[in-house]
Amino acid sequence: MDPEQVWLVRYSEVFLKSEPVRREWERTLIRNIKRVLPDSEPWRERGRIWLSGVVDPEKLKSIFGIVSISLCDVVPLDGLSGGILAFCERRDIAEAATFALRIRHVGKHSFTSRDLAERLGDLIRGEYPHLRVDLDDPEREIFVEVRDGTCYLFDQKIPAVGGIPLGVEGTLVALVSGGIDSPVAAYLMMRRGCRIVPVYVGLEGYLDGTNLARTEATIEALRRYQPDIELMVVGDGYLARARQGLEERGEERYTCLLCKRRMYRIAADVARREGAKGFVTGESMGQVASQTLDNLAVLTDAATIPVYRPLIGFDKEDVVRLARKIGTFDASITPACGCGAVPARPATAATIETVRALEEAVRNVDDVGALADPDNA
Ligand code: ATP
Ligand code: MG
């Protein structure tokens, strides 16, 4: 007969927290697990979460806050000898040359971990005489967790996504353009507990359906990390107006700065309505002309709430590697139209005063209320 099995879920950082915060985080993590795996039955016990019922480990591995998972055989303490031999047989321990037992026990018992390791070690070697114990570099490890009268046996710790539970830090708007950077930036903030409201600004006359489709695809790729993620699309004609105003003044080189400042205002406006405490962008130091220290200062000047740029110190190769790892890369490289408003020689050392004056001259920049309202998009 197959033994009863449960999943052991390990989470981190929770132990750094005070008792009430820890409990809140654990509750959030369990709620997030239930949302993704509705037919599982999670319960919490002394710094661990256990799961029975229907569990898809691939889905479990993508839940933020989970560090690793293990599928365990559950055997009663008084059936441990038979249970561990059956476990060794099913896991083909005979194929290894060396092994180690890792014992952990919680609760009051008449034996120490060491006593138990010796007894079980002798038992296993009695059955498999060729096996040697190697505590430093074993081919196989067998973990035994004894919790009062129940033992959990496993031999694998499957790494999971890590981070902290989604939602415990509140909500952030993410400015997403479907490129390689912005989905990765959003992911990094999600991994640190922030629920994301992704916002795409459809620059009328300059971006088209290919850009929107690509952005939608990247958001689908992020759905495994936040099942209720929903892209908000804001149509906006400001760029066309601003571009014309700048051209008339021979100042096209400021186009991208005015455009991004407008996006920052839209992000702040959506954030206010969504109860978000900031927004995240995919900007990285020096990556393109608009991302110099001077220009980032000009952009930040337009942010009325905190702006987070988790990729600021990343090389492009780092971002690409991460995009592949988290599963957004393929969506980000589907063909889409380039923005035709990008000037041949964009300003790289703009000043806040110049840009504010130009904004004043081309006007209507603060009029985002109606535009950012998705019902009017
Ligand atoms: P990505 O950052 O997605 O790879 P990109 O590098 O082409 O795209 P940039 O022009 O460098 O984008 O813009 C920097 C940041 O501004 C983006 O990371 C994103 O956060 C935001 N952004 C750019 N275009 C848009 C858009 N159309 N809608 C919403 N946000 C945008
Ligand atoms: Mg970029």
Side-chain angles (χ1 to χ4, degrees), residues 331-351:
S332 287
I333 58 165
T334 54
C337 98
C339 178
V342 177
R345 286 152 59 80
T348 53
T351 66

Side-chain angles (χ1 to χ4, degrees), residues 177 179-182 260 282-284 287-288 290-291 311 316:
S177 58
I180 296 171
D181 303 312
S182 47
K260 285 275 151 58
E283 283 143 348
S284 147
Q287 192 192 75
V288 292
S290 62
Q291 294 165 18
L311 303 185
K316 193 73 188 186

